Amino acid sequence: MRIAIVSAHYAPFAGGVESHVEEIAKRLAERGQTVEVLTHHDSPGLADTEVRDGVLVRRHQVPVPSQHFALSPGLWATLRRERHRYDVIHAHGYHSAAPLAAAMAGASPMVFTPHYHGTGHSPLRKAIHVPYRAAGAAIAARSRHIICVSRAEADLFLTHFPSARPRLTVIPNGVDLGRITGAQPFPDAGPVVVTGGRLQSYKQIDRIVEAMALTAPDLRLVVTGDGPERGALEALAEERGLRERVRFIGRVETDLLYRWYASAEVFCSMSSNEAMPVTVLELLAAGARVVASDIPAHRDIRDRTAGAISLVPLDAEPAVLAAALELALKESPASAQQIPTWEEVTTQTLDVYRSVASAAAAT
């Protein structure tokens, strides 16, 4: 098949949607599919065109750089010009302009994975979501199939776009199980809590830092990833006297990241909005106990993994979260047996592509 995947960003840009797209794209290429990623580009150091893991990546310049609202006339023009050149076009990320560009360009046949949160993560983005819902309805209407990554995401999406129900499938995120379980922990790590990802306010990592001040003094926190909140979080750790107990490692190579996952006694996520967080799945696969905010996406994972996650209120006080972390340290490690792999996810996604392409060819 000839497959185009449309995403606002792609590797080496790091994020949940970007990881999802990269994992599926490279596995599709490994299976002999012709895969192109059409994406935005606002980094001078990146090539406009390159091949990564057998995937042709075509980046289009963004006149005005923006993390969330990047618009590229070149991306729209490419989709408009080449919209019938592919067997299927798969657009990702409701919370970006990329799927709207695909829909407006008449991309067909189109599959849509929204990675839907239902709202924005700042007052401005929340306000924009209200009028943007009409655009979201147009994207959903022009999509032959919609893939959600969790039942919780599907339920939320259908609340706002109920007409999509007959065309919607749930295919969960996955993990690279062999690579994760093969990672070696650091021998001198000691008791470690890991958190992180894209360091934005909705991740509520400040709550975890506050809770660490109330835990045993030998327990350390490792914060992975980077983002706009990093400076404030580092200042908070300093203010709470946690300079020696909280370590910010930033973005690191995947193999090193997985070593930290293997070293983790507990993973903590206090995020307020998720579709299906890959990092939680990866830490479960690594054997960590997980303490997470009580939101639908985390409940969905808890149900899929037979209760492997301990949930706490989204607005839990530091003492409550600290107690949950210390209790998790005493529990048995998680089992990876019920965690989906990216190979399984790719197989299911390819089945959707074939069905959509066959239906399109018949009309």
Side-chain angles (χ1 to χ4, degrees):
M1 298 184 70
R2 192 171 186 87
I3 302 161
I5 302 178
V6 181
S7 177
H9 300 283
Y10 192 68
F13 188 93
V17 175
E18 293 74 26
S19 295
H20 175 109
V21 172
E22 182 182 12
E23 295 291 351
I24 291 176
K26 67 185 182 183
R27 284 172 173 78
L28 288 168
E30 288 171 358
R31 298 185 187 198
Q33 312 302 322
T34 301
V35 184
E36 297 182 16
V37 171
L38 308 179
T39 186
H40 292 145
H41 176 24
D42 54 16
S43 300
L46 290 178
D48 289 343
T49 303
E50 69 169 327
V51 176
R52 296 178 65 99
D53 300 314
V55 177
L56 176 62
V57 183
R58 301 168 63 187
R59 300 185 178 93
H60 300 77
Q61 293 287 339
V62 177
V64 180
S66 171
Q67 180 186 339
H68 302 294
F69 306 113
L71 292 169
S72 170
L75 176 61
W76 180 88
T78 295
L79 287 164
R80 182 68 181 171
R81 182 177 63 250
E82 303 180 16
R83 63 189 185 278
H84 298 309
R85 193 165 68 87
Y86 305 99
D87 295 303
V88 66
I89 298 174
H90 190 172
H92 286 259
Y94 179 98
H95 305 277
S96 75
L100 181 59
M104 291 176 62
S108 180
M110 181 169 146
V111 174
F112 178 40
T113 296
H115 305 277
Y116 190 61
H117 295 170
T119 186
H121 306 311
S122 69
L124 173 61
R125 295 184 69 195
K126 288 177 181 177
I128 290 174
H129 261 263
V130 176
Y132 186 76
R133 195 157 288 166
I139 298 169
R142 296 184 185 186
S143 302
R144 285 182 176 262
H145 206 94
I146 295 163
I147 300 174
C148 288
V149 297
S150 71
R151 187 70 257 168
E153 182 203 1
D155 290 343
L156 179 60
F157 190 80
L158 290 173
T159 297
H160 297 147
F161 308 104
S163 63
R165 185 178 298 276
R167 295 170 287 122
L168 189 147
T169 300
V170 174
I171 302 177
N173 284 327
V175 301
D176 190 337
L177 194 57
R179 196 172 177 187
I180 290 172
T181 56
Q184 295 299 310
F186 294 105
D188 57 348
V192 170
V193 175
V194 169
T195 190
R198 180 70 180 162
L199 304 187
Q200 294 180 299
S201 58
Y202 78 93
K203 295 288 188 178
Q204 297 200 124
I205 294 173
D206 58 320
R207 289 184 175 273
I208 304 172
V209 174
E210 295 277 10
M212 284 296 298
L214 303 177
T215 60
D218 64 334
L219 185 63
R220 292 194 299 143
L221 176 67
V222 172
V223 183
T224 71
D226 214 336
E229 292 295 307
R230 179 168 176 172
L233 291 170
E234 290 177 330
L236 177 62
E238 179 80 19
E239 181 182 324
R240 295 293 183 267
L242 298 171
R243 176 190 296 180
E244 304 300 322
R245 295 179 54 200
V246 179
R247 179 177 178 184
F248 294 83
I249 65 171
R251 288 178 55 192
V252 297
E253 293 295 326
T254 302
D255 287 339
L256 180 58
L257 182 65
Y258 286 168
R259 289 197 68 187
W260 277 113
Y261 289 0
S263 303
E265 297 284 344
V266 177
F267 175 74
C268 185
S269 170
M270 288 302 292
S271 179
S272 61
N273 291 288
E274 299 288 345
M276 189 184 194
V278 174
T279 306
V280 173
L281 298 175
E282 290 178 331
L283 267 295
L284 286 172
R289 301 80 161 172
V290 173
V291 175
S293 52
D294 189 2
I295 61 174
H298 291 154
R299 290 197 293 270
D300 191 290
I301 296 176
R302 179 196 60 187
D303 295 343
R304 286 177 176 272
T305 57
I309 297 180
S310 299
L311 300 180
V312 297
L314 186 61
D315 58 353
E317 293 294 326
V320 173
L321 181 53
L325 293 174
E326 294 198 322
L327 181 60
L329 287 168
K330 303 173 184 177
E331 296 176 348
S332 300
S335 169
Q337 294 180 359
Q338 298 180 17
I339 299 173
T341 67
W342 285 119
E343 291 296 336
E344 295 167 341
V345 173
T346 302
T347 296
Q348 294 175 62
T349 303
L350 188 54
D351 286 344
V352 170
Y353 290 172
R354 287 171 174 152
S355 175
V356 166
S358 177
T363 57

